[in-house]
Amino acid sequence: MIKGFIFDLDGVITDTAELHFEAWKTLADENGWDFDREINDQLRGISRLDSMQVILDHNGISLDEIAKADLANQKNEIYVKSLDEMTPADYLPGAKELLTHLRTEGFAVALGSSSKNAEKVLMQLNARAYFDVIGDGHSVTQSKPAPDIFLFAAEKLNLQPSECLVFEDAERGVDAAKIGGFHSVGIGPKDRVGHADLRFDTMEQATLFEVKAHFKELFS
Ligand code: B16
Ligand code: MG
């Protein structure tokens, strides 16, 4: 039976991808690196330091851990500053409605994000009250596709992975859910999240009615 829902943040609850892109682009321009939307798409769902590594590899640059962390911090400062502009109007269409519906139906709800800025994003959206448990970039060390963040969230909800549905917009996020033994809902195009148990193009289509209809036997 499905008793809990675990949501990724960026790309599922709100679209911070554009803000991440702008912050990485600023850092890349300052350092004369090549960086475009194609590279940015590879950063979806992976941690800040792993993202930094992808960008450095793409540019054939090798740096020590301290220099890498310093650059990643610079990017983070730009990104965090841009979060100040985020408001409760910035949910992805359908996300707030689904979270509200889950609350009224009494499901357990957790966040399972790779971001270390998840609390700040939830605060800007005024979304904290929708979540019983916050799993974020501070909760585990191994980032997606390791299933650790979702296992952490399920354990805190006192649920088994088989009792939870994970919502993800990243290929590696869906990989993580599957490796962990969770049911999965992919948000986005087939070539990115087509391996999820159920897929919607947008969160607006991902209503509780549709989800229940698909996983009929798992809802009583
Ligand atoms: P931060 P998610 C991920 O969030 C983003 O998709 C990814 O692009 C970002 O690098 C990562 O968080 C780390 O974010 O720099 O704020 O710690 O999709 O797992 O909610
Ligand atoms: Mg995401």
Side-chain angles (χ1 to χ4, degrees):
M1 284 298 140
I2 300 289
K3 296 179 181 160
F5 284 67
I6 304 175
F7 290 93
D8 172 58
L9 180 61
D10 298 333
V12 171
I13 303 297
T14 185
D15 190 12
T16 46
E18 191 59 26
L19 301 179
H20 280 295
F21 171 76
E22 283 163 17
W24 282 123
K25 180 77 182 137
T26 303
L27 185 78
D29 288 350
E30 278 170 6
N31 287 278
W33 304 331
D34 183 53
F35 182 74
D36 56 22
R37 291 194 179 269
E38 213 172 295
I39 306 295
N40 189 60
D41 218 44
Q42 292 178 34
L43 312 182
R44 197 178 279 271
I46 66 171
S47 73
R48 198 182 310 155
L49 275 177
D50 288 349
S51 303
M52 184 77 257
Q53 193 59 54
V54 169
I55 296 168
L56 292 174
D57 287 349
H58 173 73
N59 284 274
I61 298 167
S62 134
L63 291 176
D64 64 32
E65 293 304 311
I66 295 174
K68 222 161 54 183
D70 179 53
L71 285 163
N73 277 340
Q74 289 178 35
K75 178 266 173 180
N76 193 50
E77 277 176 25
I78 303 167
Y79 173 67
V80 170
K81 215 172 275 167
S82 70
L83 288 178
D84 286 336
E85 306 298 315
M86 184 177 269
T87 75
D90 290 321
Y91 284 89
L92 276 169
K96 190 175 180 179
E97 290 74 7
L98 178 58
L99 289 169
T100 308
H101 204 167
L102 293 175
R103 268 284 170 262
T104 55
E105 292 219 356
F107 286 98
V109 179
L111 190 78
S113 166
S114 304
S115 176
K116 291 188 169 167
N117 296 300
E119 291 275 7
K120 163 107 177 157
V121 172
L122 292 183
M123 201 185 77
Q124 296 294 125
L125 292 173
N126 199 15
R128 184 62 185 81
Y130 292 118
F131 296 91
D132 302 300
V133 162
I134 303 296
D136 64 13
H138 300 284
S139 310
V140 296
T141 47
Q142 288 208 87
S143 67
K144 304 162 187 175
D148 303 29
I149 189 64
F150 299 136
L151 293 172
F152 170 90
E155 197 185 321
K156 292 274 176 202
L157 291 174
N158 276 318
L159 295 175
Q160 296 299 317
S162 60
E163 295 175 308
C164 300
L165 255 184
V166 168
F167 278 62
E168 255 295 346
D169 70 309
E171 184 177 351
R172 290 182 187 91
V174 172
D175 292 341
K178 297 186 86 148
I179 293 167
F182 294 85
H183 304 283
S184 55
V185 176
I187 305 297
K190 222 179 189 160
D191 62 354
R192 199 168 77 208
V193 290
H195 53 320
D197 299 326
L198 173 63
R199 185 194 67 83
F200 297 100
D201 287 321
T202 65
M203 275 298 278
E204 208 163 14
Q205 297 163 354
T207 61
L208 189 52
F209 179 82
E210 290 293 335
V211 169
K212 280 185 172 178
H214 180 86
F215 293 100
K216 264 196 262 6
E217 68 291 357
L218 295 173
F219 287 92
S220 51

